[in-house]
Amino acid sequence: MKMNNERILLVSRPKGTPAMSDFRYEEAAVPELKGDQVLVKTIYLSVDPYMRGRMNDTKSYVPPFELNEVISGGIVGQVVQSLSSDLAEGDFVIGNLPWQKYNVVNDISVRKLDSNIAPLSANLGVLGMTGLTAYFGLLDIGKPQEGETVVVSGAAGAVGTIVGQIAKIKGARVVGIAGSEEKTAYLKNELGFDEVINYKTDNVFEALKAACPGGVDVYFDNVGGEISDAVLRLLNHGARIPVCGQIALYNLEKMDVGPRIQSQLLINSALMKGFIVSDYAAHFEEGAMELAKWLMEGKLSYKENIVEGFENTIDAFLGLFKGENTGKQLVKVAEPENV
């Protein structure tokens, strides 16, 4: 029986902040299975800031999205038809897949999930690329030591919330930067951040000086821009700066011109290093096991902002740039089936 699919295409390169007109929803037929393929029904899909960079036709660490092609990203789904000897109907899987309600894929392009460890959605957040990004960026580059001060920008985002908690597990003092009273309260009261700065209402540099009287040892940079300029003025000798994201700059139409930071790095013998989570692919299993252990021990908690309905996917994506989410931004496309 032929099935109809719904999918989302990129139809124009955004200029500045993306608009709904840059995307198109369309219907298409679901192809028949062959070989070792499975039909995966999308349950959750992930919307992430890095996707904005892939919408530009520029060189980056991943190829740009092609125009008039389906956008792809992290998806948790359920196998509803199978020709595979490794995956059965009813199995839950994760993979980087097109934004569609259904995907026909080879079984080796997805990974089976154990739905008993944590809720399915957690595999796109704290136990997925989000958690691994925080884990490796902070521990391999930041190397926080007990008693040091760690500053996290974009602290209420999916990565930032995990970074702050891991830093606390390692005995560091944690200062977060976020953009609303609700977010600052969550970070301080529920996640245990020592100090939190609201960049929309506080003078960031003055607030940082008060929050970091001993300077900054580790700065986990998720945003770039003027917020990062303020943090870098307070670096200690030997400071480490993992550069994870630059969300403040993604929608700029012209090259950003800010303070030149080389002198700060030089006089403080500081290390600034950009990274992509795929750099650590060989160690994903180790990181995932440690994150799952902390989660089960109650040392890690997480928050999700779940938008209901495939038709609201682009709204959910655009919401990332308006600061609408606390924690991981997800779209729930469908309910799992009982098999």
Side-chain angles (χ1 to χ4, degrees):
M1 184 178 70
K2 288 289 185 182
M3 296 177 60
N4 277 339
N5 208 356
E6 293 179 43
R7 57 192 191 179
I8 301 173
L9 290 74
L10 180 71
V11 295
S12 59
R13 304 282 180 200
K15 298 185 184 305
T17 303
M20 195 65 72
S21 58
D22 296 317
F23 309 91
R24 183 174 76 240
Y25 288 80
E26 69 172 27
E27 291 190 359
V30 177
E32 298 287 337
L33 301 187
K34 57 186 179 181
D36 293 323
Q37 290 183 328
V38 293
L39 176 62
V40 177
K41 174 184 176 180
T42 299
I43 307 299
Y44 291 100
L45 64 79
S46 176
V47 294
D48 299 283
Y50 82 88
M51 293 175 170
R52 174 62 186 88
R54 292 194 67 189
M55 293 172 187
N56 298 329
D57 190 13
T58 55
K59 181 183 176 182
S60 186
Y61 55 88
V62 286
F65 293 127
E66 296 291 338
L67 289 180
N68 300 306
E69 296 289 342
V70 183
I71 297 170
S72 61
I75 283 179
V76 163
Q78 186 176 26
V79 176
V80 292
Q81 292 179 22
S82 177
L83 295 180
S84 167
S85 58
D86 296 322
L87 294 172
E89 292 182 14
D91 286 346
F92 294 106
V93 295
I94 188 170
N96 192 285
L97 302 174
W99 278 1
Q100 303 181 143
K101 285 191 171 182
Y102 292 92
N103 280 288
V104 172
V105 298
N106 294 323
D107 55 9
I108 60 171
S109 63
V110 292
R111 176 171 57 85
K112 186 176 176 179
L113 295 175
D114 183 347
S115 59
N116 297 314
I117 294 177
L120 287 173
S121 56
N123 292 282
L124 291 170
V126 61
L127 297 182
M129 291 302 160
T130 298
L132 293 170
T133 298
Y135 180 88
F136 290 113
L138 180 65
L139 298 184
D140 185 62
I141 302 171
K143 293 182 170 59
Q145 305 299 308
E146 188 168 353
E148 288 190 326
T149 294
V150 175
V151 174
V152 187
S153 58
V159 172
T161 53
I162 306 302
V163 168
Q165 292 179 84
I166 295 175
K168 292 296 294 182
I169 289 171
K170 297 299 181 180
R173 183 172 175 275
V174 180
V175 177
I177 305 172
S180 73
E181 292 302 317
E182 178 186 3
K183 291 178 180 180
T184 57
Y186 169 67
L187 294 171
K188 192 161 188 177
N189 300 334
E190 295 189 42
L191 298 190
F193 281 52
D194 296 281
E195 299 290 344
V196 187
I197 294 163
N198 184 338
Y199 71 85
K200 291 186 178 177
T201 58
D202 297 332
N203 178 308
V204 174
F205 180 65
E206 294 300 326
L208 277 168
K209 283 201 300 183
C212 307
V216 175
D217 300 295
V218 180
Y219 172 44
F220 198 99
D221 186 4
N222 284 309
V223 303
E226 294 180 355
I227 289 174
S228 293
D229 293 341
V231 180
L232 295 173
R233 293 169 63 186
L234 298 171
L235 295 180
N236 285 334
H237 184 84
R240 291 83 66 199
I241 306 134
V243 181
C244 176
Q246 301 282 279
I247 196 170
L249 311 180
Y250 290 160
N251 292 318
L252 297 183
E253 296 186 60
K254 296 181 180 179
M255 180 70 71
D256 183 51
V257 178
R260 290 167 171 80
I261 62 171
Q262 289 91 332
S263 61
Q264 291 293 333
L265 301 178
L266 177 63
I267 63 177
N268 292 300
S269 297
L271 168 72
M272 174 181 274
K273 183 179 179 182
F275 74 100
I276 309 301
V277 67
S278 57
D279 298 342
Y280 298 94
H283 304 284
F284 278 178
E285 185 175 354
E286 162 210 325
M289 289 177 61
E290 191 73 356
L291 290 165
K293 173 174 169 286
W294 287 333
L295 188 63
M296 288 187 286
E297 290 174 348
K299 294 178 179 179
L300 274 184
S301 65
Y302 65 96
K303 199 165 189 175
E304 299 169 329
N305 191 60
I306 298 178
V307 177
E308 298 275 349
F310 185 71
E311 68 278 6
N312 294 315
T313 298
I314 299 304
D315 287 326
F317 172 68
L318 298 180
L320 293 169
F321 305 100
K322 302 172 186 174
E324 292 178 355
N325 62 301
T326 300
K328 181 66 180 173
Q329 185 90 316
L330 296 168
V331 178
K332 186 173 184 181
V333 176
E335 292 287 345
E337 297 184 12
N338 293 321
V339 177

